[in-house]
Structures are given as C-alpha cells and as structure tokens.
Amino acid sequence: MNQVATNWKDYECIDCGNGEKLERWKDVVLRRPDPQVIWPLENKDSLWKHPDAHYHRSKAGGGQWEYLKKIPSEWTIQYKHLTFKVAPTGFKHTGLFPEQAANWDYMMNKIKNSNLEEIRVLNLFAYTGGATLACASAGAEEVVHVDASKGMVQWAKDNMKLSNLSHKKIRFIVDDVMKFVQREKRRGRTYHAIIMDPPSYGRGPNGEIWKIEEQLYPLIQACLEILDDDALFFLVNSYTTGFSATVLHNVLHATVLKRFNEGILSCGEIGLPITLSKTILPCGIYGRWERTNDTIL
C-alpha cells in the first residue's frame, strides 16, 4: 500500500528529471537533487532555467546553493492548521519533508477517532516536529519529542510556537533514542503510539553510533517494552537506500505483530504527486501496525 501526500496547498512538486526536482515552497521555487529521479527531463520551461535557488552538488561531497533571486533566509508554509519554518540548509534540505504529510494525516485521523480517554505519543528521531505537532493538534494528551540534535529540537520548538501549540503538553528531549527508551522502561512509562524516522547512520549527543541495519530491530524490541497494552499505532518511516518495504514488513511482523496479533500491519512507499507528469515521486518507505477501533481493549 503506497501513501501519497496529496493535500498540500503551500507546497508543490512541479516537475522532476535528470536527477533533480523542481519544487514550490509557497512563493519560492527551489531546484534540488534527488537520487530517485533517474528519468530524463522532458519539460525545460523557464522555471527550470530560472528557479529562485538551485542546489548544486559538489564532486567532493556536499554542495551549495546558487541564489538566482533574492529570497528570505527563512519563511513559513502551512499544512492545514499547522505552520512550519522552512530554510535552505547547507545539506540541500529545507527543514521539512513534505511527503510526510501523508503520515501526519494518518496520525491525526487515528487520534481524533480513537475511543481512548488519554493518548501519549513518543516521537523518536523527531527532527523538526511535523509528526509531533500533528499528534498534539489532534488531541494527544502528551507528545514526547526525542532527537539527538539540539538545533533540530530548537527548530521543532519554533514550529510549535508558529502553529500556536505552546499550550499543548509537548516534552522536547535531546538524547540518544535507545538510552531514552531504556530509561522510560525503568520509569514504568508507556505510550499509546510510537513513531520513529531513523537515519541510515547517525550519532547521539554523546557520540553514540547508530547504524540502521544493526540497531533498528533492537530499538523496536525496546520500544515494545513501553508500548501500552491499549496501543493505538506503531509507525516507522525510512529513507535508507536499499532498505525495502518488505524488509520493514518482516521486521514489524517479527516484533510488533508478535506481541499484538490483532490489528493491521501495512507497509509501502511514501511519495509526492508530480504536477506536470501526473506521476508519483517516491520518497521513502513506511511501515505501521495499527489497532482497529473495534479491537481496542
């Protein structure tokens, strides 16, 4: 089952080709590399030739932005009732992955339609807080946001304020995710929903090494120790090249579904609609277990 983020107004994937994508972020048009785009470019209109900014990769690694027009160093875009700060970074990213709106819609729908009196959500590798704010705005009693990067956590706090959600109970934690999960187990804390977006490779705040192929399975097992008996959903998102939806399905089948044999397990690609070609840009994979409303304890 594939998920496509079709409800954007402030974001648009205009076109893709020759290893690049052309995007509109509200009023700003950006041209960026994308390794998934292996097909040729067919529409060479003026937007391709004259974007507001173009990210050029360096053969030595990394890259830099070429600004063809004067644009703000940062600006905001909206998704439904949520507001996010976006800004071109030195690593080609903007601080937001718009395809994740498909997951946000899912989370908000599950929380709003749940018959649980109280929902606690844990968001691991939480980045700038898209999922955190989606869950808080939908009515989660508490959302715990964990990321190893102080800068990303601060960005998430900025997004919370922009979305007028400062009154919600959101805990922002700078920590290694495994260490945090293990501490929550010792505290006896549980969550009704757990979300994670693990990188291929990363470091914790104290130099802890993360490799997805070695540590995803143990992390999910640890998370099951703090997943409430009345759990609502468990969602994993991944951008790791070569890590297929089938592999993720097998991992979740051997962990989450082993504990909760009721409910639904689904996995697939997540993507964005491409306006000009009417096709889909694949952006990663997701896997989720969800308890249906009629099976909540």
Side-chain angles (χ1 to χ4, degrees):
M1 180 189 300
N2 294 334
Q3 302 290 315
V4 182
T6 58
N7 295 320
W8 276 101
K9 293 182 179 178
D10 277 2
Y11 172 85
E12 177 187 11
C13 183
I14 302 169
D15 198 10
C16 297
N18 291 349
E20 293 185 301
K21 56 188 174 184
L22 189 68
E23 307 164 289
R24 176 181 61 83
W25 297 81
K26 201 169 186 176
D27 300 322
V28 178
V29 176
L30 302 180
R31 181 174 172 176
R32 298 192 290 161
D34 192 304
Q36 299 280 13
V37 183
I38 64 171
W39 53 91
L41 178 62
E42 296 182 359
N43 302 288
K44 298 180 181 179
D45 62 16
S46 60
L47 280 178
W48 275 106
K49 297 176 182 177
H50 304 288
D52 296 322
H54 184 185
Y55 188 88
H56 298 277
R57 281 205 178 278
S58 169
K59 293 181 180 179
Q64 62 182 2
W65 287 96
E66 175 190 9
Y67 292 97
L68 304 171
K69 298 178 184 177
K70 186 175 182 180
I71 64 173
S73 59
E74 61 184 56
W75 64 98
T76 61
I77 67 172
Q78 285 188 298
Y79 183 75
K80 297 183 176 179
H81 53 282
L82 302 174
T83 302
F84 301 101
K85 178 182 76 174
V86 297
T89 70
F91 299 97
K92 86 168 182 176
H93 297 302
T94 63
L96 195 68
F97 291 86
E99 62 275 7
Q100 287 302 317
N103 280 332
W104 305 338
D105 285 342
Y106 164 80
M107 297 171 201
M108 290 189 287
N109 181 63
K110 291 296 290 186
I111 291 171
K112 287 178 179 178
N113 293 304
S114 169
N115 58 15
L116 291 175
E117 293 184 3
E118 179 181 291
I119 298 174
R120 297 181 299 276
V121 179
L122 176 61
N123 187 10
L124 303 174
F125 308 99
Y127 197 50
T128 59
T132 295
L133 303 184
C135 292
S137 70
E141 177 70 19
E142 178 185 18
V143 183
V144 178
H145 174 113
V146 185
D147 197 281
S149 168
K150 291 181 180 179
M152 292 301 104
V153 170
Q154 182 57 54
W155 199 324
K157 291 179 179 179
D158 294 342
N159 285 335
M160 176 187 68
K161 294 175 183 177
L162 288 168
S163 295
N164 297 313
L165 292 172
S166 297
H167 63 288
K168 295 290 186 177
K169 188 176 181 181
I170 303 174
R171 293 171 56 206
F172 293 97
I173 310 291
V174 179
D175 203 351
D176 174 76
V177 295
M178 179 62 91
K179 290 181 178 179
F180 179 81
V181 168
Q182 291 169 339
R183 282 201 303 274
E184 290 291 82
K185 167 63 176 176
R186 293 194 293 271
R187 295 176 184 128
R189 294 261 298 167
T190 64
Y191 295 88
H192 301 92
I194 296 180
I195 307 155
M196 65 176 73
D197 192 349
S200 303
Y201 177 87
R203 289 184 179 271
N206 296 311
E208 300 91 344
I209 300 296
W210 166 270
K211 293 181 180 180
I212 192 170
E213 67 274 14
E214 296 176 4
Q215 290 165 287
L216 179 62
Y217 193 93
L219 176 61
I220 292 176
Q221 287 184 311
C223 285
L224 288 179
E225 297 291 317
I226 60 171
L227 191 60
D228 199 89
D229 289 338
D230 285 339
L232 191 60
F233 64 85
F234 191 105
L235 191 150
V236 180
N237 193 83
S238 175
Y239 292 96
T240 299
T241 302
F243 191 65
S244 72
T246 301
V247 170
L248 184 53
H249 180 279
N250 292 345
V251 170
L252 295 176
H253 188 276
T255 52
V256 186
L257 203 62
K258 188 174 182 179
R259 176 182 169 189
F260 296 97
N261 54 21
E262 74 281 2
I264 300 170
L265 181 60
S266 58
C267 298
E269 291 187 332
I270 190 167
L272 290 164
I274 305 171
T275 301
L276 290 183
S277 65
K278 308 298 182 185
T279 56
I280 303 299
L281 174 64
C283 302
I285 62 170
Y286 78 95
R288 69 185 183 222
W289 169 88
E290 60 183 299
R291 191 195 300 272
T292 56
N293 287 338
D294 60 350
T295 59
I296 289 181
L297 300 178

